[in-house]
Amino acid sequence: MKFSPFGSSESLIILSRLLLPPGRGDAPLPPWLVELDLGIAEISREEFEDLLTLAHSHHVVMRGLEVFLEIMRRAGDNGRAEWAATAFSSERARIEKAISFLHAICAAFQAGGYDVTVIKSLDHWPDLGSDLDLYTDASSVDVLRLMTRSFEAQIAPRSWGDRLARKWNFLIPGLPEAVEIHMGRLGQTGEQVAIAASLAGRAGGALFGNHMFRVPAAEDRLMISALQRMYRHFYFRLCDIVDTATLSETRVIDYEQLRSTAQVAGIWKGVATYLAIVSDYMKHYCGKGLDLPPFVRVSARFGGDDVVFSRGFLRIPIMPQSAKLYGAQLTTMLLNRELRNSVRLSMLPCLATAAAVGQKITGSDKGIW
């Protein structure tokens, strides 16, 4: 295993220990009982700020600081407890504001007779991502009209990738987070129409804070996460580990259904690999991985040993591992005679190359990726 240190920053190790204590899922010991092993008893203010910055980028501020704060209070360390309490309060205010906007947006869709499902953003609860993601099968004309008239939203500039994926980003006055709405398609190039078409039918209501939202079924959540991590960004956040662990612990995942749907979409190997990576990371910190059926492990192309911490995230290798997953997805679509979606997906390497060149020349891949 390469998880520790494998290039990890001290902040990543501390956050991982806060979020994934030994025995998680099996009546774990209270986190404060392993305080000395966490390495936070003498953390400096600068080190705390580094920890907080990483927690923000990994969408685990609320969950990480909740444990940190409890440890400091029980240790009688009022100074460090105050650092955490201030940051915790600030993040909670941000999330409450964003959730209120999100609820108003969903209500406006429903009032207009449009289906809408919140994807990705609420997977991190009680944390929240850096933008608000929605899926709808409404037409772009209807969505643009609703967002501009109801919320005075401005349409953010669209990249080539946004156009292929058929998604729009909206900027709403008074809301710091962008609202990203996927319309009728999922996947980096909008190649996944089968998953998208059945998303709303399998979605269900769930309470987040004081608001009800429609969110995807567990299997769809995992497929969307795998599409994002294994086929687009090629890195994990700690929230992906913790979110998936929490979902697994609820025992609501139908792995047979997940395999069946993901195989049709051509992403089963990527989903299985995603689960294997999460399981390996958990095993290192908790002493126990996910309770996965054997057929998941058999289908996984690689696991946690191939993950390295670099540039702030847990990176997965693009060549050759992720490239082979992409090839398998494209092959499945061609065999299924999804010619238009295959053409979309075949543009991904060109798009990625253009983004990499743009990043090297200008320092940004905006307008491309």
Side-chain angles (χ1 to χ4, degrees):
M1 296 288 289
K2 299 178 183 177
F3 290 126
S4 180
F6 82 114
S8 298
S9 70
E10 185 65 25
S11 293
L12 179 73
I13 295 172
I14 291 174
L15 268 179
S16 297
R17 289 175 173 170
L18 287 171
L19 296 162
L20 302 168
R24 177 188 166 113
D26 291 322
L29 294 173
W32 54 86
L33 294 183
V34 293
E35 170 194 345
L36 295 179
D37 187 52
L38 293 176
I40 63 172
E42 302 298 328
I43 191 170
S44 69
R45 186 57 190 261
E46 182 180 2
E47 290 168 336
F48 175 78
E49 293 300 329
D50 288 342
L51 184 74
L52 182 60
T53 297
L54 191 68
H56 273 292
S57 65
H58 284 253
H59 305 331
V60 292
V61 174
M62 298 294 285
R63 289 169 286 184
L65 287 186
E66 182 178 31
V67 181
F68 183 99
L69 183 58
E70 182 66 28
I71 290 173
M72 292 306 170
R73 283 175 172 168
R74 287 181 173 269
D77 193 330
N78 295 330
R80 291 181 176 85
E82 181 62 27
W83 300 347
T86 299
F88 188 91
S89 177
S90 176
E91 181 67 358
R92 181 167 56 189
R94 178 190 78 86
I95 292 172
E96 288 176 352
K97 181 177 182 179
I99 287 293
S100 294
F101 270 93
L102 182 60
H103 186 260
I105 294 167
C106 291
F109 269 82
Q110 292 162 0
Y114 307 120
D115 284 331
V116 67
T117 303
V118 182
I119 60 174
K120 297 185 287 186
S121 301
L122 295 174
D123 292 357
H124 317 315
W125 191 259
D127 286 288
L128 191 72
S130 53
D131 58 12
L132 304 178
D133 290 270
L134 300 167
Y135 171 81
T136 182
D137 56 7
S139 72
S140 58
V141 173
D142 290 337
V143 172
L144 269 60
R145 183 188 302 118
L146 182 151
M147 292 298 291
T148 53
R149 290 183 179 179
S150 300
F151 300 100
E152 300 181 353
Q154 293 184 338
I155 302 171
R158 299 177 74 204
S159 67
W160 299 349
D162 291 340
R163 295 175 189 277
L164 278 174
R166 204 162 181 265
K167 63 183 180 181
W168 277 255
N169 281 277
F170 297 91
L171 307 177
I172 297 178
L175 177 64
E177 294 78 13
V179 179
E180 183 173 281
I181 304 181
H182 300 248
M183 304 179 198
R185 291 181 175 272
L186 292 169
Q188 174 61 18
T189 60
E191 74 281 357
Q192 292 295 343
V193 292
I195 295 175
S198 59
L199 186 74
R202 291 199 292 257
L207 186 65
F208 297 85
N210 297 319
H211 302 296
M212 286 289 294
F213 295 98
R214 283 185 61 78
V215 294
E219 298 78 25
D220 290 325
R221 277 182 55 178
L222 289 172
M223 286 189 289
I224 292 171
S225 294
L227 281 170
Q228 187 178 32
R229 295 298 159 214
M230 309 304 299
Y231 297 91
R232 181 185 179 186
H233 291 308
F234 308 112
Y235 66 73
F236 275 63
R237 288 185 166 102
L238 282 179
C239 63
D240 301 310
I241 311 292
V242 181
D243 297 347
T244 305
T246 302
L247 193 61
S248 175
E249 289 161 5
T250 63
R251 301 193 178 280
V252 297
I253 304 170
D254 184 335
Y255 286 102
E256 293 282 3
Q257 177 64 44
L258 175 62
R259 176 172 61 174
S260 175
T261 307
Q263 281 178 334
V264 172
I267 61 169
W268 168 238
K269 292 179 181 178
V271 172
T273 304
Y274 171 92
L275 290 168
I277 291 172
V278 171
S279 184
D280 287 349
Y281 199 92
M282 284 189 62
K283 185 175 182 180
H284 178 78
Y285 281 100
C286 304
K288 179 182 178 182
L290 298 177
D291 185 15
L292 299 174
F295 63 77
V296 175
R297 273 291 182 183
V298 170
S299 300
R301 300 300 88 183
F302 56 95
D305 284 344
D306 290 294
V307 175
V308 294
F309 181 73
S310 175
R311 304 189 307 280
F313 297 104
L314 295 159
R315 304 280 173 177
I316 62 176
I318 297 177
M319 295 296 292
Q321 290 92 328
S322 295
K324 289 182 178 179
L325 295 177
Y326 163 79
Q329 183 186 13
L330 181 57
T331 299
T332 299
M333 288 191 165
L334 289 169
L335 292 174
N336 290 343
R337 298 182 183 277
E338 297 181 50
L339 299 182
R340 291 185 177 180
N341 294 329
S342 298
V343 170
R344 282 177 174 269
L345 186 58
S346 68
M347 297 177 69
L348 182 59
C350 297
L351 198 64
T353 300
V357 172
Q359 180 73 40
K360 181 163 287 189
I361 294 175
T362 67
S364 172
D365 59 8
K366 295 297 183 183
I368 301 172
W369 203 242

